[in-house]
Amino acid sequence: QVQLVESGGGLVQPGGSLRLSCAASGSGFSINTMAWYRQAPGKQRELVAFISSGGTTNYADSMKGRFTISRDNAKNTVYLQMNSLKPEDTADYFCNAGVFWRTSGYYSEYWGQGIQVTVSS
């Protein structure tokens, strides 16, 4: 099966930057769409950014201009570059991937375990 492994989170001061990575491991599949979500304490999980297999991107309004999503198809990896971070960006960030299985033709979605981002002085 597919495993999504996230990295790059941690503690950063307001105005700082972080780069999150999510790498998909396994074999026999190809990745279609990839996305980042986040969930702050006491709040609903929300979409941060989305990227299609062809590289088309969409962002939530509060992230647009500060965050950039990208992907490296050769590495089955999606990135989230976060700049000008604010305390309200503090949340657990989750990677999501839509996967096609080559032998069966089935489609499945997978989630990463989540990684913490804390923006604080």
Side-chain angles (χ1 to χ4, degrees), residues 4-23:
L4 302 179
V5 180
E6 299 152 329
S7 62
L11 175 65
V12 66
Q13 293 184 350
S17 298
L18 286 174
R19 188 194 190 206
L20 304 183
S21 299
C22 174

Side-chain angles (χ1 to χ4, degrees), residues 40-120:
K43 295 186 177 181
Q44 187 174 341
R45 186 174 297 186
E46 64 177 340
L47 176 68
V48 175
F50 167 91
I51 186 167
S52 73
S53 60
T56 301
T57 60
N58 285 289
Y59 301 89
D61 288 341
S62 62
M63 292 80 167
K64 191 173 184 179
R66 299 189 299 123
F67 292 6
T68 302
I69 188 171
S70 61
R71 63 191 293 168
D72 185 336
N73 291 332
K75 297 180 179 179
N76 282 339
T77 300
V78 63
Y79 306 94
L80 184 68
Q81 179 67 46
M82 303 185 294
N83 299 324
S84 301
L85 284 164
K86 306 173 182 179
E88 51 264 42
D89 294 319
T90 296
D92 290 331
Y93 285 72
F94 297 86
C95 177
N96 175 271
V99 172
F100 287 103
W101 292 96
R102 292 165 181 161
T103 56
S104 65
Y106 291 149
Y107 179 85
S108 301
E109 290 192 355
Y110 294 87
W111 289 90
Q113 75 283 359
I115 189 166
Q116 186 176 0
V117 172
T118 301
V119 184
S120 176

